[in-house]
Amino acid sequence: MDHKVLPRNEWIEARKELLKKEKEFTKLRDELTQQRRDLPWEAVSKYYTFDGPSGKMSLADLFAGRSQLIVYHFMFDPSWDQGCKHCSFWADHYSGMIPHLSHRDVSFVCISRAPLEKLNEFKKRMGWTFPWYSSGHTDFNYDFQASFTEEEVENKHAFYNYTLQNPMSTDREGVSVFYKDEEENIFHTYSTYARGIDMMNITYQFLDLVPKGRQDDRGLRHHDQYVPKI
């Protein structure tokens, strides 16, 4: 790589200039985080059930005795033989964080439309241990902007990421957050999609620190090699 090289004292000065911007960004991020928590909620009035290892589970059941629930909308159309490669990259980070979330009154699950049998087979193949449920017989993914009809895909016109656009696929990536109060009322507090889930990928955050960055062009070109073969 052809890059500017400085003596240490000059490098320190350059680094301190960047640190000023980093601190500004950190303060703005803290403000944005608080604004996210201050968003109004919407009540979840529809009753959803999901297929899991222990049988049928309601949305309330997925909280597992906690008051907060994070759902990752994992792209897995029922007709696909395997889950989305990019979602798989994200999912490689999930199993290890479960105990830390649980300790802070947060449950985490992945939800996809594919049948449970396919989810379990793919989960075993990838060596994951996080909870993964099927919503294939419900409107859950459609109601939370994570799945789209064949007609919407064909017409390139659907409501995704809070705007009408081409969804590109029957299933898309996203994260939704829910809260359950002491009266068992459930509220939808937040959802984010597309680039909004970027901050949930710790590998990307580390790659942003190194000189070559994320190398997304290379990663996408060789992404077929990411999901291990059976």
Side-chain angles (χ1 to χ4, degrees), residues 155-221:
N155 293 334
K156 300 180 180 180
H157 191 72
F159 189 66
Y160 177 64
N161 202 14
Y162 307 104
T163 188
L164 290 172
Q165 60 175 293
N166 182 357
M168 307 296 290
S169 172
T170 56
D171 290 81
R172 287 296 303 267
E173 71 287 356
V175 172
S176 291
V177 181
F178 301 90
Y179 179 81
K180 181 163 64 71
D181 65 17
E182 294 180 358
E183 286 73 40
E184 298 294 308
N185 298 305
I186 298 176
F187 302 92
H188 174 221
T189 69
Y190 183 74
S191 283
T192 189
Y193 309 90
R195 287 294 302 276
I197 69 169
D198 180 272
M199 60 182 178
M200 286 69 167
N201 190 314
I202 188 62
T203 298
Y204 270 165
Q205 308 314 311
F206 275 112
L207 287 173
D208 284 345
L209 303 179
V210 300
K212 291 186 178 180
R214 301 184 183 186
Q215 304 181 72
D216 273 346
D217 54 344
R218 178 183 180 187
L220 291 173
R221 192 163 59 240

Side-chain angles (χ1 to χ4, degrees), residues 42-195:
E42 65 170 344
V44 179
S45 56
K46 186 180 291 188
Y47 184 79
Y48 300 101
T49 60
F50 308 90
D51 293 326
S54 301
K56 296 289 184 182
M57 303 278 284
S58 68
L59 182 59
D61 291 332
L62 301 189
F63 283 80
R66 303 179 182 91
S67 69
Q68 301 168 104
L69 172 68
I70 299 172
V71 172
Y72 180 78
H73 301 285
F74 194 116
M75 295 171 59
F76 203 147
D77 182 290
S79 66
W80 298 352
D81 294 327
Q82 62 181 19
C84 165
K85 296 179 176 66
H86 304 283
C87 287
S88 297
F89 175 26
W90 257 253
D92 264 351
H93 302 80
Y94 295 158
S95 296
M97 72 181 184
I98 299 294
H100 303 284
L101 293 176
S102 300
H103 186 64
R104 291 163 174 81
D105 193 31
V106 180
S107 289
F108 175 91
V109 302
C110 283
I111 293 179
S112 303
R113 287 194 305 127
L116 185 63
E117 182 180 1
K118 282 190 175 182
L119 302 185
N120 287 339
E121 180 181 347
F122 192 62
K123 179 179 176 180
K124 180 179 179 181
R125 171 180 163 190
M126 298 297 289
W128 296 328
T129 58
F130 55 79
W132 199 356
Y133 297 90
S134 171
S135 65
H137 58 282
T138 76
D139 296 327
F140 182 80
N141 277 40
Y142 295 98
D143 290 346
F144 291 96
Q145 302 181 52
S147 293
F148 311 94
T149 65
E150 296 287 351
E151 182 179 5
E152 287 175 319
V153 175
E154 183 178 348
N155 293 334
K156 300 180 180 180
H157 191 72
F159 189 66
Y160 177 64
N161 202 14
Y162 307 104
T163 188
L164 290 172
Q165 60 175 293
N166 182 357
M168 307 296 290
S169 172
T170 56
D171 290 81
R172 287 296 303 267
E173 71 287 356
V175 172
S176 291
V177 181
F178 301 90
Y179 179 81
K180 181 163 64 71
D181 65 17
E182 294 180 358
E183 286 73 40
E184 298 294 308
N185 298 305
I186 298 176
F187 302 92
H188 174 221
T189 69
Y190 183 74
S191 283
T192 189
Y193 309 90
R195 287 294 302 276

